[in-house]
Amino acid sequence: MVMVATTNRNRTGVPCLACPLRLRPAFKDKPDEEVRFIQTMKLDHRQLPAGTDIIHPGQEDAELYTLFSGWAFRYKSLPDGRRQILNFLLPGDLVGLQASLLSAAQHGIEALTEVELCVFPRRRTYELFARMPALAYELAWLGSREESLIDENLTSVGQRNAQERIAALLISLYRRADALGLVSEDSFAFPPTQQHLADALGLSLVHTSKTWSRLRRAGLFSLSGGRLKLLNPRLTERMAMLFESERWPRPLI
């Protein structure tokens, strides 16, 4: 059973002007005035263990978050327990925009690893649109970006075969991690299990395991000590038929 975030260890966190994420190549520069306004919006800095629901399906008081560190994923479940992972979330990603704007969350968001979150109150989202239209546009842009990630995953589930699906997910996560400065010698920390991959790619666990082993034996990647290394990124791109890189630098809220 997934734990739900009811009590957390709360901390002040790093001041927004000193946020180390702002130095990463994934994110564009922002005027100090806007960063200070974001600081006034920030409600909390929260740390949660792996397996916790950051937002649970049906939640009516979901806040808006920026993922400060760690990995999470957005999912929907069927009544019989089957789960579809819609997309993975990495540091700097906006979390819960849809849930904070609707009366109740239509999906869940679970911490894949231990995570830290910058918390923004949903009740002040309108204030962002009223007082800082440039930031409001960036909020909408980030919502559209998440939609594009889900579009790509839907294309994989609907049209790519098993090998192409895994290759597309790996190259996409590799590119995102690289823009965050998380890649070293073509390797990066890779916390998803094969069950997570199966749930993300619409495959059975057995099919995922067999395909994963086949691609590893073929020399596309290696996995050791929780770090995945792409041994032939260009071949992985060709197999995935995924040549367009993600657009960055992008906004950071």
Side-chain angles (χ1 to χ4, degrees):
M1 179 179 291
V2 173
M3 297 178 288
V4 177
T6 54
T7 59
N8 324 290
R9 189 178 83 187
N10 299 330
R11 303 188 303 168
T12 303
V14 178
C16 293
L17 281 171
C19 177
L21 286 176
R22 298 193 182 280
L23 302 178
R24 306 287 174 87
F27 305 110
K28 65 181 184 180
D29 292 334
K30 189 177 293 298
D32 287 354
E33 177 190 4
E34 291 186 1
V35 178
R36 291 191 184 97
F37 182 80
I38 292 171
Q39 181 72 64
T40 67
M41 294 276 292
K42 186 175 177 181
L43 177 68
D44 194 10
H45 190 93
R46 192 169 296 171
Q47 184 174 351
L48 301 174
T52 303
D53 258 0
I54 300 168
I55 295 173
H56 59 84
Q59 184 173 344
E60 296 181 352
D61 60 350
E63 307 287 17
L64 185 64
Y65 307 91
T66 291
L67 186 58
F68 180 78
S69 67
W71 288 48
F73 60 87
R74 179 178 170 185
Y75 69 91
K76 294 199 73 167
S77 296
L78 297 178
D80 63 5
R82 284 176 293 171
R83 178 179 69 180
Q84 177 66 47
I85 291 179
L86 304 171
N87 62 303
F88 290 98
L89 300 158
L90 275 63
D93 284 348
L94 190 67
V95 179
L97 177 60
Q98 182 191 91
S100 69
L101 293 177
L102 299 179
S103 58
Q106 303 298 306
H107 60 270
I109 298 177
E110 181 180 325
L112 179 58
T113 66
E114 180 180 278
V115 299
E116 291 187 48
L117 300 152
C118 301
V119 187
F120 303 94
R122 63 183 289 161
R123 67 181 182 275
R124 295 189 64 186
T125 303
Y126 178 78
E127 183 181 347
L128 191 67
F129 284 83
R131 293 182 54 188
M132 301 292 286
L135 276 177
Y137 174 83
E138 292 184 342
L139 199 69
W141 190 95
L142 290 170
S144 297
R145 171 185 176 267
E146 184 175 22
E147 183 180 357
S148 72
L149 294 175
I150 296 173
D151 289 348
E152 190 60 51
N153 197 52
L154 179 59
T155 301
S156 283
V157 171
Q159 299 299 326
R160 292 184 172 103
N161 63 35
Q163 293 186 73
E164 293 166 347
R165 292 182 204 185
I166 291 177
L169 182 59
L170 293 185
I171 197 66
S172 174
L173 291 174
Y174 172 86
R175 289 170 178 170
R176 291 170 64 190
D178 190 33
L180 291 167
L182 301 178
V183 173
S184 175
E185 297 181 351
D186 290 330
S187 75
F188 63 106
F190 192 78
T193 65
Q194 289 191 10
Q195 185 64 66
H196 291 119
L197 299 180
D199 289 350
L201 299 175
L203 300 169
S204 70
L205 181 58
V206 171
H207 197 178
T208 299
S209 179
K210 289 181 178 179
T211 306
W212 180 268
S213 297
R214 189 179 304 120
L215 293 177
R216 185 150 74 170
R217 288 196 303 270
L220 261 70
F221 63 86
S222 63
L223 183 64
S224 178
R227 293 188 66 84
L228 186 137
K229 182 172 185 177
L230 288 188
L231 303 176
N232 196 331
R234 290 185 178 180
L235 178 59
T236 306
E237 284 182 350
R238 290 199 298 272
M239 178 176 290
M241 293 181 285
L242 188 62
F243 302 105
E244 184 177 348
S245 297
E246 183 184 3
R247 180 182 171 187
W248 55 275
R250 67 178 191 270
L252 175 65
I253 302 297

